[in-house]
Short mmCIF file of all heavy atoms in Angstrom, two decimals:
data_model
loop_
_atom_site.label_atom_id
_atom_site.label_comp_id
_atom_site.label_asym_id
_atom_site.label_seq_id
_atom_site.Cartn_x
_atom_site.Cartn_y
_atom_site.Cartn_z
N TRP A 10 61.13 107.35 73.11
CA TRP A 10 60.53 106.35 72.15
C TRP A 10 60.42 106.94 70.76
O TRP A 10 60.81 106.21 69.81
CB TRP A 10 59.26 105.85 72.61
CG TRP A 10 59.31 104.90 73.78
CD1 TRP A 10 60.43 104.25 74.19
CD2 TRP A 10 58.33 104.37 74.61
NE1 TRP A 10 60.22 103.52 75.30
CE2 TRP A 10 58.87 103.58 75.52
CE3 TRP A 10 56.94 104.61 74.59
CZ2 TRP A 10 58.13 102.99 76.48
CZ3 TRP A 10 56.14 104.09 75.55
CH2 TRP A 10 56.71 103.14 76.54
N PRO A 11 59.96 108.12 70.56
CA PRO A 11 59.86 108.72 69.18
C PRO A 11 61.21 108.79 68.53
O PRO A 11 61.40 108.51 67.34
CB PRO A 11 59.22 110.04 69.41
CG PRO A 11 58.44 110.00 70.58
CD PRO A 11 59.25 109.07 71.51
N LEU A 12 62.28 109.11 69.28
CA LEU A 12 63.62 109.18 68.74
C LEU A 12 64.13 107.81 68.36
O LEU A 12 64.67 107.70 67.35
CB LEU A 12 64.57 109.79 69.76
CG LEU A 12 66.01 109.91 69.42
CD1 LEU A 12 66.22 110.78 68.16
CD2 LEU A 12 66.91 110.37 70.52
N LEU A 13 63.82 106.82 69.21
CA LEU A 13 64.22 105.48 68.90
C LEU A 13 63.48 104.96 67.66
O LEU A 13 64.15 104.28 66.79
CB LEU A 13 64.00 104.55 70.08
CG LEU A 13 64.86 104.83 71.31
CD1 LEU A 13 64.43 103.93 72.45
CD2 LEU A 13 66.36 104.72 70.97
N ASP A 14 62.26 105.30 67.46
CA ASP A 14 61.44 104.93 66.25
C ASP A 14 62.09 105.54 65.02
O ASP A 14 62.32 104.93 63.94
CB ASP A 14 60.03 105.31 66.39
CG ASP A 14 59.22 104.47 67.36
OD1 ASP A 14 59.82 103.32 67.77
OD2 ASP A 14 58.15 104.84 67.73
N THR A 15 62.47 106.78 65.16
CA THR A 15 63.06 107.58 64.07
C THR A 15 64.44 106.98 63.70
O THR A 15 64.71 106.75 62.47
CB THR A 15 63.16 109.06 64.43
OG1 THR A 15 61.91 109.62 64.55
CG2 THR A 15 63.89 109.85 63.31
N LEU A 16 65.21 106.72 64.70
CA LEU A 16 66.53 106.13 64.36
C LEU A 16 66.47 104.72 63.83
O LEU A 16 67.16 104.34 62.98
CB LEU A 16 67.43 106.13 65.65
CG LEU A 16 67.80 107.52 66.18
CD1 LEU A 16 68.55 107.44 67.47
CD2 LEU A 16 68.59 108.32 65.08
N SER A 17 65.47 103.95 64.29
CA SER A 17 65.19 102.66 63.74
C SER A 17 64.82 102.71 62.28
O SER A 17 65.32 101.96 61.48
CB SER A 17 64.15 101.93 64.55
OG SER A 17 63.85 100.66 64.03
N HIS A 18 63.93 103.72 62.02
CA HIS A 18 63.47 103.86 60.62
C HIS A 18 64.69 104.34 59.72
O HIS A 18 64.91 103.81 58.61
CB HIS A 18 62.37 104.86 60.48
CG HIS A 18 61.89 105.00 59.09
ND1 HIS A 18 61.19 103.98 58.42
CD2 HIS A 18 61.92 106.02 58.25
CE1 HIS A 18 60.93 104.37 57.22
NE2 HIS A 18 61.34 105.68 57.15
N LEU A 19 65.50 105.20 60.28
CA LEU A 19 66.70 105.63 59.57
C LEU A 19 67.59 104.47 59.23
O LEU A 19 68.13 104.30 58.08
CB LEU A 19 67.51 106.66 60.37
CG LEU A 19 68.79 107.18 59.72
CD1 LEU A 19 68.58 107.91 58.39
CD2 LEU A 19 69.48 108.14 60.72
N GLN A 20 67.86 103.58 60.26
CA GLN A 20 68.65 102.45 60.00
C GLN A 20 68.05 101.50 58.93
O GLN A 20 68.79 100.95 58.05
CB GLN A 20 68.93 101.67 61.30
CG GLN A 20 69.92 100.60 61.28
CD GLN A 20 70.36 100.05 62.56
OE1 GLN A 20 69.70 100.33 63.54
NE2 GLN A 20 71.40 99.29 62.58
N THR A 21 66.77 101.27 58.89
CA THR A 21 66.10 100.59 57.96
C THR A 21 66.25 101.06 56.54
O THR A 21 66.64 100.34 55.58
CB THR A 21 64.57 100.35 58.21
OG1 THR A 21 64.45 99.77 59.53
CG2 THR A 21 63.83 99.58 57.19
N VAL A 22 66.10 102.36 56.42
CA VAL A 22 66.22 103.10 55.14
C VAL A 22 67.64 102.91 54.67
O VAL A 22 67.92 102.69 53.44
CB VAL A 22 65.76 104.57 55.24
CG1 VAL A 22 66.19 105.32 54.00
CG2 VAL A 22 64.27 104.61 55.38
N VAL A 23 68.67 103.19 55.56
CA VAL A 23 70.00 103.11 55.13
C VAL A 23 70.45 101.68 54.65
O VAL A 23 71.04 101.51 53.68
CB VAL A 23 70.95 103.56 56.30
CG1 VAL A 23 72.40 103.14 56.10
CG2 VAL A 23 70.84 105.00 56.55
N GLY A 24 69.84 100.69 55.31
CA GLY A 24 70.12 99.35 54.84
C GLY A 24 69.55 99.11 53.47
O GLY A 24 70.22 98.45 52.67
N ARG A 25 68.37 99.55 53.28
CA ARG A 25 67.69 99.41 51.92
C ARG A 25 68.50 100.18 50.82
O ARG A 25 68.61 99.74 49.77
CB ARG A 25 66.27 99.80 51.99
CG ARG A 25 65.45 98.78 52.74
CD ARG A 25 64.05 99.15 52.67
NE ARG A 25 63.20 98.26 53.56
CZ ARG A 25 62.01 98.53 53.95
NH1 ARG A 25 61.45 99.75 53.65
NH2 ARG A 25 61.38 97.67 54.72
N VAL A 26 68.97 101.37 51.14
CA VAL A 26 69.70 102.18 50.19
C VAL A 26 70.98 101.44 49.86
O VAL A 26 71.38 101.40 48.69
CB VAL A 26 69.98 103.58 50.74
CG1 VAL A 26 70.96 104.34 49.97
CG2 VAL A 26 68.65 104.41 50.91
N ALA A 27 71.69 100.89 50.92
CA ALA A 27 72.91 100.27 50.64
C ALA A 27 72.72 99.01 49.79
O ALA A 27 73.60 98.67 48.99
CB ALA A 27 73.54 99.81 51.94
N GLU A 28 71.56 98.39 49.79
CA GLU A 28 71.26 97.18 49.00
C GLU A 28 70.80 97.50 47.61
O GLU A 28 71.00 96.71 46.70
CB GLU A 28 70.27 96.32 49.70
CG GLU A 28 70.62 95.65 51.01
CD GLU A 28 69.48 95.04 51.76
OE1 GLU A 28 68.34 95.11 51.34
OE2 GLU A 28 69.84 94.47 52.85
N LEU A 39 61.70 103.01 48.39
CA LEU A 39 61.85 103.60 49.74
C LEU A 39 60.76 104.58 50.11
O LEU A 39 60.37 105.34 49.24
CB LEU A 39 63.26 104.16 49.88
CG LEU A 39 64.39 103.29 49.77
CD1 LEU A 39 65.73 104.01 49.87
CD2 LEU A 39 64.32 102.25 50.88
N SER A 40 60.46 104.72 51.31
CA SER A 40 59.60 105.68 51.88
C SER A 40 60.28 106.59 52.84
O SER A 40 60.48 106.23 53.94
CB SER A 40 58.42 105.01 52.53
OG SER A 40 57.56 106.05 53.07
N PHE A 41 60.76 107.68 52.32
CA PHE A 41 61.52 108.61 53.15
C PHE A 41 60.60 109.45 53.92
O PHE A 41 61.01 110.15 54.86
CB PHE A 41 62.32 109.53 52.26
CG PHE A 41 63.50 108.88 51.55
CD1 PHE A 41 63.52 108.66 50.22
CD2 PHE A 41 64.58 108.50 52.28
CE1 PHE A 41 64.53 108.11 49.58
CE2 PHE A 41 65.64 107.84 51.71
CZ PHE A 41 65.62 107.71 50.31
N ARG A 42 59.34 109.41 53.71
CA ARG A 42 58.40 110.31 54.41
C ARG A 42 57.84 109.68 55.71
O ARG A 42 57.03 110.22 56.35
CB ARG A 42 57.20 110.64 53.46
CG ARG A 42 57.59 111.45 52.35
CD ARG A 42 56.40 111.82 51.51
NE ARG A 42 56.70 112.64 50.41
CZ ARG A 42 56.67 113.98 50.34
NH1 ARG A 42 56.01 114.61 51.35
NH2 ARG A 42 56.99 114.71 49.34
N GLU A 43 58.30 108.49 56.06
CA GLU A 43 57.74 107.86 57.28
C GLU A 43 58.34 108.50 58.55
O GLU A 43 57.90 108.32 59.65
CB GLU A 43 58.14 106.34 57.30
CG GLU A 43 57.20 105.60 56.31
CD GLU A 43 57.38 104.10 56.46
OE1 GLU A 43 57.71 103.60 57.55
OE2 GLU A 43 57.18 103.43 55.39
N SER A 44 59.40 109.24 58.40
CA SER A 44 59.92 110.04 59.58
C SER A 44 60.44 111.39 59.06
O SER A 44 60.85 111.44 57.97
CB SER A 44 60.97 109.25 60.30
OG SER A 44 62.27 109.46 59.79
N LYS A 45 60.39 112.36 59.90
CA LYS A 45 60.89 113.71 59.43
C LYS A 45 62.44 113.68 59.22
O LYS A 45 62.90 114.30 58.26
CB LYS A 45 60.66 114.68 60.65
CG LYS A 45 59.25 115.02 60.83
CD LYS A 45 59.00 116.06 61.94
CE LYS A 45 57.55 116.26 62.20
NZ LYS A 45 57.22 117.16 63.25
N LEU A 46 63.16 112.82 59.97
CA LEU A 46 64.61 112.73 59.80
C LEU A 46 64.92 112.17 58.37
O LEU A 46 65.77 112.72 57.69
CB LEU A 46 65.30 111.93 60.87
CG LEU A 46 66.74 111.71 60.77
CD1 LEU A 46 67.48 113.15 60.86
CD2 LEU A 46 67.26 110.87 61.89
N THR A 47 64.31 111.05 58.00
CA THR A 47 64.59 110.45 56.65
C THR A 47 64.14 111.37 55.57
O THR A 47 64.73 111.42 54.54
CB THR A 47 64.11 109.05 56.56
OG1 THR A 47 62.63 109.11 56.85
CG2 THR A 47 64.67 108.12 57.48
N PHE A 48 63.06 112.10 55.80
CA PHE A 48 62.60 113.02 54.72
C PHE A 48 63.60 114.08 54.57
O PHE A 48 63.89 114.51 53.38
CB PHE A 48 61.18 113.60 55.16
CG PHE A 48 60.70 114.58 54.16
CD1 PHE A 48 60.18 114.19 52.93
CD2 PHE A 48 60.68 115.93 54.43
CE1 PHE A 48 59.73 115.14 52.02
CE2 PHE A 48 60.28 116.90 53.56
CZ PHE A 48 59.75 116.47 52.32
N LEU A 49 64.07 114.69 55.67
CA LEU A 49 65.09 115.76 55.56
C LEU A 49 66.42 115.23 54.96
O LEU A 49 67.14 115.98 54.21
CB LEU A 49 65.39 116.38 56.89
CG LEU A 49 64.30 117.15 57.51
CD1 LEU A 49 64.61 117.52 59.00
CD2 LEU A 49 64.10 118.37 56.71
N LEU A 50 66.75 113.94 55.15
CA LEU A 50 68.04 113.39 54.60
C LEU A 50 67.83 112.70 53.28
O LEU A 50 68.69 112.03 52.72
CB LEU A 50 68.53 112.36 55.61
CG LEU A 50 69.06 112.95 56.96
CD1 LEU A 50 69.46 111.80 57.90
CD2 LEU A 50 70.22 113.92 56.67
N SER A 51 66.58 112.79 52.68
CA SER A 51 66.29 112.02 51.50
C SER A 51 67.27 112.31 50.26
O SER A 51 67.61 111.39 49.58
CB SER A 51 64.84 112.18 51.05
OG SER A 51 64.65 113.54 50.71
N GLU A 52 67.63 113.57 50.18
CA GLU A 52 68.55 113.91 49.01
C GLU A 52 69.95 113.29 49.23
O GLU A 52 70.50 112.82 48.37
CB GLU A 52 68.71 115.35 48.92
CG GLU A 52 67.50 116.09 48.28
CD GLU A 52 67.13 115.67 46.92
OE1 GLU A 52 68.15 115.56 46.13
OE2 GLU A 52 66.02 115.44 46.59
N ALA A 53 70.43 113.32 50.45
CA ALA A 53 71.69 112.71 50.80
C ALA A 53 71.60 111.16 50.74
O ALA A 53 72.50 110.53 50.23
CB ALA A 53 72.14 113.11 52.27
N LEU A 54 70.55 110.56 51.24
CA LEU A 54 70.46 109.10 51.33
C LEU A 54 70.00 108.55 49.91
O LEU A 54 70.33 107.42 49.56
CB LEU A 54 69.42 108.72 52.38
CG LEU A 54 69.67 108.96 53.76
CD1 LEU A 54 68.51 108.70 54.62
CD2 LEU A 54 70.97 108.19 54.20
N GLY A 55 69.34 109.32 49.21
CA GLY A 55 68.80 108.92 47.82
C GLY A 55 69.89 108.90 46.78
O GLY A 55 69.71 108.39 45.65
N THR A 60 77.65 113.58 50.42
CA THR A 60 77.25 113.32 51.78
C THR A 60 78.55 112.90 52.57
O THR A 60 79.44 112.23 52.05
CB THR A 60 76.32 112.12 51.84
OG1 THR A 60 75.20 112.49 51.00
CG2 THR A 60 75.77 111.88 53.24
N ILE A 61 78.57 113.35 53.79
CA ILE A 61 79.70 112.91 54.71
C ILE A 61 79.06 112.54 56.00
O ILE A 61 78.06 112.95 56.42
CB ILE A 61 80.64 114.13 54.92
CG1 ILE A 61 81.93 113.63 55.64
CG2 ILE A 61 80.00 115.26 55.60
CD1 ILE A 61 83.07 114.58 55.71
N LEU A 62 79.67 111.46 56.60
CA LEU A 62 79.20 111.01 57.88
C LEU A 62 80.30 111.19 58.87
O LEU A 62 81.42 110.80 58.66
CB LEU A 62 78.86 109.47 57.84
CG LEU A 62 78.54 108.84 59.18
CD1 LEU A 62 77.31 109.26 59.75
CD2 LEU A 62 78.69 107.31 59.01
N LEU A 63 79.93 111.77 60.05
CA LEU A 63 80.92 111.94 61.16
C LEU A 63 80.33 111.14 62.32
O LEU A 63 79.34 111.49 62.85
CB LEU A 63 81.05 113.39 61.48
CG LEU A 63 81.94 113.69 62.76
CD1 LEU A 63 83.37 113.29 62.43
CD2 LEU A 63 81.86 115.13 63.08
N ALA A 64 81.11 110.03 62.64
CA ALA A 64 80.67 109.14 63.75
C ALA A 64 81.44 109.53 64.96
O ALA A 64 82.66 109.41 64.87
CB ALA A 64 80.78 107.74 63.41
N ALA A 78 77.39 100.32 68.53
CA ALA A 78 76.25 100.64 67.79
C ALA A 78 76.52 101.77 66.79
O ALA A 78 76.21 101.67 65.62
CB ALA A 78 75.08 101.05 68.63
N THR A 79 77.32 102.77 67.20
CA THR A 79 77.63 103.86 66.31
C THR A 79 78.51 103.36 65.20
O THR A 79 78.35 103.66 63.97
CB THR A 79 78.41 104.98 67.14
OG1 THR A 79 77.47 105.51 68.04
CG2 THR A 79 78.77 106.05 66.22
N SER A 81 78.79 100.29 64.10
CA SER A 81 78.02 99.42 63.22
C SER A 81 77.15 100.22 62.21
O SER A 81 77.06 99.89 61.03
CB SER A 81 77.08 98.53 64.05
OG SER A 81 76.25 97.75 63.25
N PHE A 82 76.53 101.26 62.67
CA PHE A 82 75.75 102.16 61.76
C PHE A 82 76.66 102.77 60.77
O PHE A 82 76.31 102.88 59.52
CB PHE A 82 74.95 103.18 62.60
CG PHE A 82 74.14 104.14 61.81
CD1 PHE A 82 72.99 103.68 61.24
CD2 PHE A 82 74.58 105.46 61.59
CE1 PHE A 82 72.24 104.52 60.39
CE2 PHE A 82 73.86 106.25 60.79
CZ PHE A 82 72.67 105.82 60.25
N ALA A 83 77.76 103.37 61.20
CA ALA A 83 78.69 103.98 60.24
C ALA A 83 79.24 102.97 59.23
O ALA A 83 79.36 103.29 58.06
CB ALA A 83 79.98 104.54 61.08
N SER A 84 79.49 101.77 59.62
CA SER A 84 79.79 100.72 58.66
C SER A 84 78.72 100.45 57.61
O SER A 84 79.00 100.32 56.46
CB SER A 84 80.19 99.40 59.33
OG SER A 84 80.44 98.40 58.48
N GLN A 85 77.54 100.42 58.08
CA GLN A 85 76.33 100.22 57.21
C GLN A 85 76.18 101.28 56.25
O GLN A 85 75.95 101.15 55.06
CB GLN A 85 75.10 100.01 58.03
CG GLN A 85 73.81 99.69 57.26
CD GLN A 85 72.59 99.48 58.08
OE1 GLN A 85 72.51 99.99 59.24
NE2 GLN A 85 71.64 98.76 57.60
N ILE A 86 76.24 102.55 56.72
CA ILE A 86 76.06 103.69 55.92
C ILE A 86 77.22 103.83 54.91
O ILE A 86 77.05 104.55 53.84
CB ILE A 86 75.75 104.93 56.72
CG1 ILE A 86 74.94 105.93 55.88
CG2 ILE A 86 76.95 105.59 57.20
CD1 ILE A 86 74.24 107.06 56.62
N SER A 87 78.46 103.42 55.28
CA SER A 87 79.54 103.56 54.30
C SER A 87 79.35 102.72 53.09
O SER A 87 80.04 102.97 52.13
CB SER A 87 80.84 103.20 55.08
OG SER A 87 80.96 101.77 55.32
N ARG A 88 78.41 101.75 53.10
CA ARG A 88 78.20 100.94 51.90
C ARG A 88 77.27 101.67 50.93
O ARG A 88 77.03 101.13 49.81
CB ARG A 88 77.59 99.63 52.33
CG ARG A 88 78.54 98.71 53.11
CD ARG A 88 78.07 97.34 53.23
NE ARG A 88 76.78 97.24 53.80
CZ ARG A 88 76.37 97.04 55.05
NH1 ARG A 88 77.38 96.80 55.99
NH2 ARG A 88 75.16 96.98 55.47
N VAL A 89 76.63 102.79 51.34
CA VAL A 89 75.84 103.52 50.41
C VAL A 89 76.70 104.24 49.39
O VAL A 89 77.56 104.98 49.66
CB VAL A 89 74.99 104.55 51.13
CG1 VAL A 89 74.20 105.42 50.22
CG2 VAL A 89 74.03 103.86 52.17
#
Side-chain angles (χ1 to χ4, degrees):
W10 290 347
L12 177 62
L13 294 176
D14 288 344
T15 298
L16 293 176
S17 176
H18 183 67
L19 176 62
Q20 188 168 12
T21 300
V22 167
V23 166
R25 289 182 184 163
V26 167
E28 292 170 359
L39 294 175
S40 173
F41 291 108
R42 293 183 180 259
E43 288 186 30
S44 85
K45 290 178 185 178
L46 180 61
T47 54
F48 179 72
L49 291 171
L50 294 174
S51 62
E52 290 295 318
L54 295 173
T60 306
I61 187 168
L62 170 72
L63 176 65
T79 300
S81 174
F82 180 74
S84 175
Q85 183 180 24
I86 205 164
S87 71
R88 294 192 307 262
V89 174

